[in-house]
Amino acid sequence: MTTALLEDLKWRKSIAQTTEFDALAKFLDGGSRSLYLGFDPTAPSLHIGNLVALTVLRRFQLAGHKPIALVGGATGLVGDPSGRNSERTLNEVEVVNEWVEKIHHQLVGFLDFSGSNAAIMANNLDWTAPVSAIHFLRDIGKHFSVNQMLSKDSVSSRLESGGISYTEFSYQVLQAFDYLELNRREDCSLQIGGSDQWGNIVAGVDLIRRVEGKAAHALTIPLLTKADGSKFGKTADGSIWLDPNMTSPYAFFQFFLNSDDRDVEQLLRTFSFKSHDELEDLFDSLKTNPGAREAHRALAREVTTLIHGSEQAEKVENAAKALFGQSEIRDLDESTLESALKELPRTTINRGSEFPTWVDLITATGVVDSKSAARRVVKEGGAYINNVKISVEDHKPSLDDLMHGRFIVLRKGKRDLAAVEVV
RNA sequence: GGUGGGUUGCCCGAGCGGCCAAUGGGAGCGGACUGUAAAUCCGCCGGCUCUGCCUUCAGUGGUUCAAAUCCACUACCCACCA
């Protein structure tokens, strides 16, 4: 059963490194095991990059294991040096606490908190805060060799590039302590995480062996990379967030739909819960008929459903279909148009007042950064009202442009749409 | 502690008294081609009340008709020497 899980993860290319593989497989085969995955609150929301490991955690639960989702209320205050070449700026305690709450909330929807292998939520502040510095240094610190700590990639690379504070240097000890605590409290003997976490996780494995004399396991997941070499999940405007207020479900869906062809197969392997057969079929269609973008659509639909729910996913897909469809946008009936536009960045103008220019309207929706940028777009021929190109720089929509008496669709370039509603 | 070098637009990186909103590359944006993809080609790429005006070249103050460019101090980085 569990061997199947590991095989599945291999098929998905979701395993970067593990502690001794056979031992891990044997351990997992022995029953329903506790495992943990941690997130540090470095923002008010998780983003798509975090979703990679979270998806793996979910796969473990579906295979019968007990997931522990840890939010780093303590470690988030210290700052993980992994994968960074400069010191983090520390966030205020209240801010971090607020983020912990929000992230907690997001995790709830992703795991099953009922049943025999119910998921557990943890916050490392619970066991870190009560420990005094003296006890921490005596009981935990004593088991760490500075030589080993220095040799970790996250530390050594920083020593070469501007240094590292004692605070961040200590991070791996804190994370190791978390693993030890969860091992004691929840009998947790597996920690998973992104491959950049290997050093931190192994620090915990070592600590558990030293203190408890027990074997603990580790499994890391490769960081996703894009075909063009850039980081997965980042756009020019920043990360793709799971919080619908930070990244709209429409934008979220579009992000996946617009994936590079070359990335789609791996994205499906990583995120999809479809059967291997179904996925193989999608890979085929990607090769034989890439223009249809069936695989893109399936990917966007599934991930959006997972994060925002099926109802919302359907809405945004329909919106995209309506707005990018072959049919004339003016032919859309009012309710279809209204629900489609609801998913877009928008602005409103008062009925009766004079229409602002296209430049002012698009700027108001936030689709462009400045009026200069908006003007440039018009000059370059990328400005549209209801899919009709405009070319005069101070062009204003007229009453004739109103669809159903109250809507105007603005477009910038090929795929950026925004809505204007007259109220 | 000593000496020398550095800090430029989203990133890298030229400029070393006026011709500088500042060369070049990357990212980004628009167009063509396509499939709301990639590659390629062309154009754009600080802001605004846009034939002009305003704010930028670590910070502060100064020299000058005129400074990113010169001087002084401050902060941070890097190198060599102790």
Side-chain angles (χ1 to χ4, degrees):
Chain A
M1 191 72 186
T2 300
T3 315
L5 171 64
L6 290 177
E7 285 308 313
D8 176 57
L9 290 176
K10 270 190 192 169
W11 183 82
R12 295 178 187 282
K13 303 192 172 82
S14 285
I15 300 178
Q17 277 187 101
T18 64
T19 43
E20 205 190 334
F21 190 82
D22 293 341
L24 174 62
K26 202 171 155 200
F27 166 72
L28 289 173
D29 273 334
S32 179
R33 305 299 196 181
S34 288
L35 72 150
Y36 106 90
L37 167 65
F39 295 105
D40 276 354
T42 55
S45 169
L46 294 176
H47 54 78
I48 243 176
N50 298 319
L51 199 55
V52 176
L54 193 52
T55 302
V56 172
L57 187 64
R58 186 181 157 98
R59 293 190 199 286
F60 271 92
Q61 182 169 39
L62 291 174
H65 299 289
K66 287 180 235 157
I68 301 168
L70 179 145
V71 182
T75 38
L77 292 170
V78 166
D80 185 358
S82 302
R84 307 195 109 236
N85 51 22
S86 63
E87 190 82 7
R88 286 173 189 274
T89 36
L90 293 176
N91 295 304
E92 295 301 320
V93 176
E94 307 83 70
V95 172
V96 173
N97 287 340
E98 202 184 306
W99 291 350
V100 167
E101 276 311 305
K102 290 191 166 170
I103 290 169
H104 248 178
H105 194 73
Q106 288 184 325
L107 289 167
V108 167
F110 211 81
L111 299 165
D112 186 354
F113 288 83
S114 61
S116 60
N117 62 329
I120 294 173
M121 201 72 91
N123 182 345
N124 55 17
L125 197 59
D126 293 346
W127 55 79
T128 309
V131 178
S132 75
I134 294 298
H135 280 104
F136 188 75
L137 291 174
R138 283 182 65 93
D139 300 343
I140 304 300
K142 198 66 178 170
H143 298 287
F144 284 81
S145 139
V146 168
N147 302 41
Q148 268 187 33
M149 290 172 70
L150 286 171
S151 70
K152 305 262 175 188
D153 278 357
S154 57
V155 175
S156 68
S157 67
R158 279 282 291 279
L159 289 175
E160 284 157 25
S161 69
I164 183 169
S165 68
Y166 179 66
T167 306
E168 284 193 14
F169 176 61
S170 314
Y171 185 90
Q172 52 180 299
V173 180
L174 277 182
Q175 187 166 331
F177 181 48
D178 288 343
Y179 197 177
L180 176 63
E181 275 301 309
L182 287 172
N183 180 267
R184 287 169 168 165
R185 293 170 178 232
E186 306 292 345
D187 193 27
C188 172
S189 296
L190 171 62
Q191 182 180 174
I192 67 172
S195 58
D196 60 334
Q197 291 299 306
W198 179 252
N200 291 334
I201 296 174
V202 165
V205 169
D206 287 344
L207 183 63
I208 291 170
R209 189 182 37 238
R210 290 205 179 107
V211 176
E212 301 289 318
K214 294 202 296 202
H217 308 271
L219 182 151
T220 60
I221 300 140
L223 299 179
L224 280 182
T225 49
K226 290 202 288 181
D228 63 11
S230 61
K231 257 190 191 160
F232 167 74
K234 298 274 182 189
T235 68
D237 305 323
S239 303
I240 303 293
W241 304 99
L242 304 195
D243 184 335
N245 297 313
M246 295 169 72
T247 299
S248 75
Y250 172 80
F252 188 91
F253 182 90
Q254 290 292 318
F255 172 81
F256 283 100
L257 188 67
N258 286 323
S259 297
D260 190 320
D261 287 9
R262 296 168 294 175
D263 294 326
V264 173
E265 179 174 328
Q266 184 54 49
L267 290 175
L268 280 166
R269 282 180 195 268
T270 301
F271 292 118
S272 178
F273 287 87
K274 291 185 198 304
S275 72
H276 292 194
D277 284 349
E278 281 176 280
L279 291 175
E280 295 286 2
D281 284 348
L282 289 171
F283 301 162
D284 274 349
S285 91
L286 201 53
K287 276 170 210 132
T288 54
N289 189 10
R293 296 192 306 159
E294 255 183 77
H296 296 70
R297 206 168 296 282
L299 170 71
R301 186 183 297 148
E302 187 173 1
V303 183
T304 308
T305 301
L306 197 58
I307 301 303
H308 298 298
S310 56
E311 197 179 318
Q312 186 65 52
E314 203 175 313
K315 273 191 206 167
V316 298
E317 186 174 356
N318 285 336
K321 211 180 283 174
L323 297 166
F324 284 101
Q326 285 79 357
S327 62
E328 197 47 51
I329 198 166
R330 276 184 167 277
D331 295 341
L332 292 174
D333 65 78
E334 183 164 3
S335 68
T336 305
L337 183 66
E338 177 168 19
S339 53
L341 295 189
K342 203 174 276 173
E343 310 303 331
L344 299 179
R346 63 213 332 264
T347 184
T348 57
I349 53 184
N350 293 321
R351 189 169 292 282
S353 60
E354 200 190 342
F355 288 125
T357 60
W358 184 91
V359 167
D360 286 328
L361 286 168
I362 197 88
T363 306
T365 64
V367 167
V368 292
D369 292 332
S370 68
K371 286 174 124 180
S372 302
R375 285 199 192 89
R376 231 172 271 136
V377 171
V378 180
K379 207 180 305 164
E380 293 167 343
Y384 301 81
I385 287 175
N386 300 336
N387 281 348
V388 178
K389 184 188 283 196
I390 59 161
S391 43
V392 179
E393 206 173 292
D394 52 4
H395 182 98
K396 295 176 184 172
S398 68
L399 282 173
D400 292 342
D401 291 320
L402 287 181
M403 294 184 284
H404 301 291
R406 57 191 179 119
F407 296 119
I408 297 173
V409 175
L410 306 177
R411 194 173 116 208
K412 183 205 72 150
K414 264 193 246 193
R415 39 189 173 175
D416 279 335
L417 296 169
V420 179
E421 185 178 0
V422 179
V423 292

